[in-house]
Amino acid sequence: KSPLFDGRMRATHCSDICYWFRNTDLMLTHTGGGKGPRSLSDKMSDALVTFMKTGNPNVKSLPEWPRYNSDRPFTMFLGNEVMVMEDPDGKGLKELSTE
């Protein structure tokens, strides 16, 4: 959740790009700027660079990021609180399934 616009903004299309490239203070309309977004940006960009170098996004500043597979679909949530969840949308996706 973003503190901008009375908390109405959620994960809008491309809102993550300024975090991956450490531009949170330049994109005040998306991040609000400051220490919190800058800290998350540091973690996210470190994970991206590590992933590009090694194929593994794990860095000390983030929780263990398990490899995704269809049997155990882990998802990393990046925000004020960073966490890993297993199959967070599974129940809803099953409800939508036509099979």
Side-chain angles (χ1 to χ4, degrees):
K1 294 181 180 180
S2 170
L4 303 172
F5 308 108
D6 297 323
R8 290 187 309 255
M9 281 182 58
R10 298 292 194 266
T12 58
H13 183 68
C14 296
S15 63
D16 60 319
I17 293 173
C18 55
Y19 287 89
W20 295 116
F21 293 103
R22 291 189 171 151
N23 288 325
T24 57
D25 288 330
L26 298 176
M27 292 297 297
L28 299 178
T29 57
H30 288 68
T31 69
K35 184 179 178 181
R38 199 176 309 120
S39 175
L40 178 58
S41 179
D42 288 343
K43 294 171 188 175
M44 289 174 64
S45 75
D46 286 347
L48 178 61
V49 170
T50 299
F51 179 71
M52 290 188 293
K53 287 180 179 178
T54 68
N56 183 337
N58 284 297
V59 292
K60 291 179 183 178
S61 59
L62 291 173
E64 177 70 21
W65 197 332
R67 182 178 293 268
Y68 182 90
N69 70 63
S70 59
D71 294 328
R72 298 196 69 197
F74 290 100
T75 301
M76 176 75 75
F77 286 85
L78 300 161
N80 292 333
E81 183 181 349
V82 178
M83 67 182 111
V84 175
M85 295 179 71
E86 185 177 348
D87 202 15
D89 298 318
K91 184 178 178 183
L93 291 172
K94 286 176 187 170
E95 295 289 326
L96 294 173
S97 178
T98 58
E99 295 182 68

